[in-house]
Amino acid sequence: VVCKNDYQFRYTKSCVLIEFNPSNPEQGITNHLRSKYNNNIKSQINVNASTLRDGDPYDVLAYDGNSWHFRTFNNDQDWICFDFGGKQIIPKCCTIKSANENPNAEHPKSWVIEVSIDQSEWVTLETQNKNSSLNGKSIVHTFSLQNLKGKNNKYQFIRMRQTSNNWNNGNDLMIGSFEIYGKLILNSS
């Protein structure tokens, strides 16, 4: 769905609305960009992390099986961040898939999903405390995101930040994949 006639976006060059589809939970904004740019996701989104232990931060954007995962070192408040560069997003929900590891491994237990315009100020859209929905092998769960500071703000950055110990009682942040749904604003300048 192209959002060109949406009142809020009448001054943007183009906008794409990508809604969550429960029968295909990994077909969100990042997958849209991968398809549009011939699998060259690195040219469209910069993915980085606070630390790196296993995998590559871009592994969480690969939805081709259960073998890939990303994990940080055992540091307090570890995070993974997605930078949309010249594009912006209005996220409405995100889907997270746990790594292909047994229950009570380093799966996330408590975390926040945050957004930012410039990485200097972060707005929390979702907080999870002692959540067991990702505690197992390759479990897929979708979380609603609500911006409590304002309606439909546009952001360049979204990150997942672990706020306390994981299910293995460590600080490693480990996930299999991450996808975002909502509005993607292209050429937002």
Side-chain angles (χ1 to χ4, degrees), residues 109-120:
K109 184 177 185 180
S110 299
W111 67 90
V112 292
I113 304 295
E114 301 170 310
V115 290
S116 179
I117 295 169
D118 58 6
Q119 290 188 299
S120 63

Side-chain angles (χ1 to χ4, degrees), residues 135-155:
N135 187 17
K137 282 188 173 190
S138 302
I139 296 172
V140 177
H141 193 84
T142 301
F143 301 90
S144 293
L145 304 174
Q146 295 184 357
N147 187 347
L148 301 177
K149 281 198 166 183
K151 294 182 179 180
N152 294 326
N153 288 337
K154 300 177 279 187
Y155 300 99

Side-chain angles (χ1 to χ4, degrees), residues 20-171:
F20 172 69
N21 179 350
S23 63
N24 206 350
E26 294 178 339
Q27 298 294 314
I29 290 173
T30 63
N31 186 68
H32 169 79
L33 289 170
R34 177 193 332 284
S35 297
K36 184 174 179 169
Y37 295 96
N38 299 317
N39 284 330
N40 190 4
I41 195 67
K42 289 183 177 183
S43 71
Q44 300 302 307
I45 301 173
N46 183 31
V47 185
N48 58 40
S50 53
T51 61
L52 180 61
R53 178 178 171 186
D54 292 333
D56 180 310
Y58 284 96
D59 289 348
V60 302
L61 302 180
Y63 309 115
D64 52 0
N66 294 326
S67 61
W68 299 104
H69 74 265
F70 154 80
R71 178 171 30 184
T72 64
F73 275 105
N74 192 18
N75 294 326
D76 189 34
Q77 302 285 315
D78 270 345
W79 50 263
I80 184 167
C81 182
F82 307 87
D83 174 359
F84 285 84
K87 295 167 284 306
Q88 293 178 318
I89 57 170
I90 301 175
K92 297 299 180 188
C93 60
C94 69
T95 295
I96 303 170
K97 182 166 120 181
S98 66
N100 189 23
E101 299 286 340
N102 290 326
N104 299 319
E106 290 88 355
H107 301 297
K109 184 177 185 180
S110 299
W111 67 90
V112 292
I113 304 295
E114 301 170 310
V115 290
S116 179
I117 295 169
D118 58 6
Q119 290 188 299
S120 63
E121 180 180 341
W122 292 90
V123 175
T124 300
L125 300 184
E126 177 68 10
T127 301
Q128 294 293 327
N129 291 306
K130 298 181 182 176
N131 185 316
S132 62
S133 61
L134 297 173
N135 187 17
K137 282 188 173 190
S138 302
I139 296 172
V140 177
H141 193 84
T142 301
F143 301 90
S144 293
L145 304 174
Q146 295 184 357
N147 187 347
L148 301 177
K149 281 198 166 183
K151 294 182 179 180
N152 294 326
N153 288 337
K154 300 177 279 187
Y155 300 99
Q156 180 177 330
F157 303 91
I158 185 167
R159 75 178 176 186
M160 177 181 187
R161 180 173 54 86
Q162 190 158 266
T163 56
S164 71
N165 289 350
N166 58 39
W167 285 102
N168 195 35
N169 207 29
N171 287 309

